[in-house]
Amino acid sequence: MNYEHIFDQAIERLHAEGRYRVFIDILRNKGQYPNARCFAGHNGPKPITVWCSNDYLAMGQHPKVIAAMEEALNDVGAGSGGTRNIGGNTHYHVDLEAELADLHGKEGALLFTSGYVSNDATLSTLAKVLPGCVIFSDELNHASMIAGIRNSGAEKRVFRHNDLEHLEELLAAEEPSVPKLIAFESVYSMEGDVAPIHAICDLAEKYNALTYIDEVHAVGMYGPRGGGITDRDEAAHRIDIIEGTLGKAFGVMGGYIAADARIIDVIRSYAPGFIFTTSLSPVLVAGVLASVRHLKSSSLEREGQQAAAAMLKALMREAGLPVMDSTTHIVPLMVGDPVKAKKISDILLAEYGVYVQPINYPTVPRGTERLRFTPGPAHTEAMMRDLTGALVEIWGRMDLKLAA
């Protein structure tokens, strides 16, 4: 058995399909986001502008967050000391879970090391605890949700994206006595669209199903206190389990769920992905705590981000660029070819100092490859006009079509 040959072939397939992933070597400039330094392909750091970060509100650069992390580091040191059960349950963790429960109007919350882990651990555990559970999953759900459903061993039914008729058809086909869980997202990050939350909850109530919503691209971003789309649409009380991340709009790292105390206790007690993992460093938790508290009372960052997204969409449309319809802060630009998407990204970085990663399969379906821009409150109109001009020039250089 030639193992090396097999591994080489696996990587070569990615190169041949134009979807081999290249990680760009950068450092952000503290307090100057979206400015950063790039170390790829040249001698020494080169100034660039970051357009694809999920630190949507630049909270990873916020003085309150940095100060809280520095204070925690000086107070308790670097690491947590172990799992939550053995040495890793700090007062910072307890405080943050209380803040997150309050953010979503729930009885409790539970921290995980990432949003991926929180989805995987919670969904896989829930279905194992509920005998014979059937999970109904939106076809565009994130890979972490798909992994959790697969790892649960439960039966699953995949419904067409945001298709309520299809979801009801699937729900109605199951025996009324069968435990049911509907798993979906609030903001779908590659399309930039939003789930019909109240309508899904109506179906859940009609067919006696639990609801699980992934709010990772919405927490901090929407609602009067940053509780996400469920906060904005006054739907949080209708959702059984709300899952979120601490590494996007909140700007640090980690994931969590918020739910009633009984569900939290079950996941805390049964989920291997929680029980056997070293807890988040209290330094990170302190930073998130400051971020959550700030965004509960400040809407300036959210308003600035929404204004920036609206402006970039408008500029791209005026220039004839194929910006996809999006009702959220996500600005996806359709390319439709993995090799061309990578080429555009490379030119932007090398010639214009613009950093945006191509999004290829399996993150999006083949033939829908795109560039995904996430303008934030610190991206200026001048930056957006420069970006749009660069894209128009590259579109012409590569003989790609612009709208008339």
Side-chain angles (χ1 to χ4, degrees), residues 232-291:
R232 184 195 73 179
D233 293 355
E234 299 183 346
H237 65 286
R238 304 188 68 188
I239 298 288
D240 293 295
I241 303 159
I242 296 174
E243 184 267 348
T245 184
L246 308 170
K248 292 183 171 62
F250 291 129
V252 189
M253 181 182 178
Y256 68 93
I257 58 168
D260 70 31
R262 183 180 294 105
I263 290 175
I264 294 296
D265 199 18
V266 166
I267 304 303
R268 183 190 72 85
S269 301
Y270 280 92
F274 172 80
I275 296 170
F276 300 108
T277 301
T278 299
S279 67
L280 285 168
S281 162
V283 177
L284 297 173
V285 178
V288 176
L289 194 55
S291 184

Side-chain angles (χ1 to χ4, degrees), residues 143-338:
S144 57
M145 300 176 76
I146 295 169
I149 294 167
R150 183 185 300 116
N151 292 337
S152 74
E155 290 285 325
K156 75 171 179 179
R157 309 284 184 262
V158 178
F159 60 94
R160 291 186 292 272
H161 178 52
N162 282 347
D163 189 328
L164 297 169
E165 289 185 6
H166 190 212
L167 174 57
E168 180 161 23
E169 178 186 322
L170 294 173
L171 286 165
E174 299 297 332
E175 288 292 328
S177 60
V178 170
K180 304 172 186 69
L181 174 67
I182 305 173
F184 63 108
E185 299 184 35
S186 60
V187 172
Y188 289 85
S189 65
M190 294 302 138
E191 281 68 31
D193 60 351
V194 174
I197 298 174
H198 279 291
I200 289 175
C201 289
D202 289 342
L203 290 177
E205 291 172 5
K206 181 176 179 180
Y207 293 95
N208 192 27
L210 294 172
T211 48
Y212 180 103
I213 192 167
D214 176 314
E215 284 258 47
V216 297
H217 290 278
V219 289
M221 303 291 295
Y222 298 92
R225 298 199 308 156
I229 299 295
T230 51
D231 183 17
R232 184 195 73 179
D233 293 355
E234 299 183 346
H237 65 286
R238 304 188 68 188
I239 298 288
D240 293 295
I241 303 159
I242 296 174
E243 184 267 348
T245 184
L246 308 170
K248 292 183 171 62
F250 291 129
V252 189
M253 181 182 178
Y256 68 93
I257 58 168
D260 70 31
R262 183 180 294 105
I263 290 175
I264 294 296
D265 199 18
V266 166
I267 304 303
R268 183 190 72 85
S269 301
Y270 280 92
F274 172 80
I275 296 170
F276 300 108
T277 301
T278 299
S279 67
L280 285 168
S281 162
V283 177
L284 297 173
V285 178
V288 176
L289 194 55
S291 184
V292 172
R293 286 171 173 167
H294 176 79
L295 290 175
K296 277 183 176 180
S297 60
S298 173
S299 294
L300 290 176
E301 293 81 7
R302 287 187 282 276
E303 292 166 1
Q305 201 284 330
Q306 289 293 330
M311 178 178 290
L312 184 58
K313 291 174 192 176
L315 289 171
M316 287 183 172
R317 288 193 185 100
E318 289 169 9
L321 292 164
V323 61
M324 299 169 62
D325 289 335
S326 165
T327 59
T328 64
H329 57 283
I330 308 294
V331 184
L333 192 62
M334 179 58 69
V335 179
D337 180 277

Side-chain angles (χ1 to χ4, degrees), residues 356-374:
V356 59
Q357 280 283 33
I359 306 296
N360 296 330
Y361 177 84
T363 306
V364 295
R366 297 180 195 274
T368 68
E369 292 82 7
R370 66 201 67 174
L371 302 175
R372 176 181 175 275
F373 297 89
T374 54

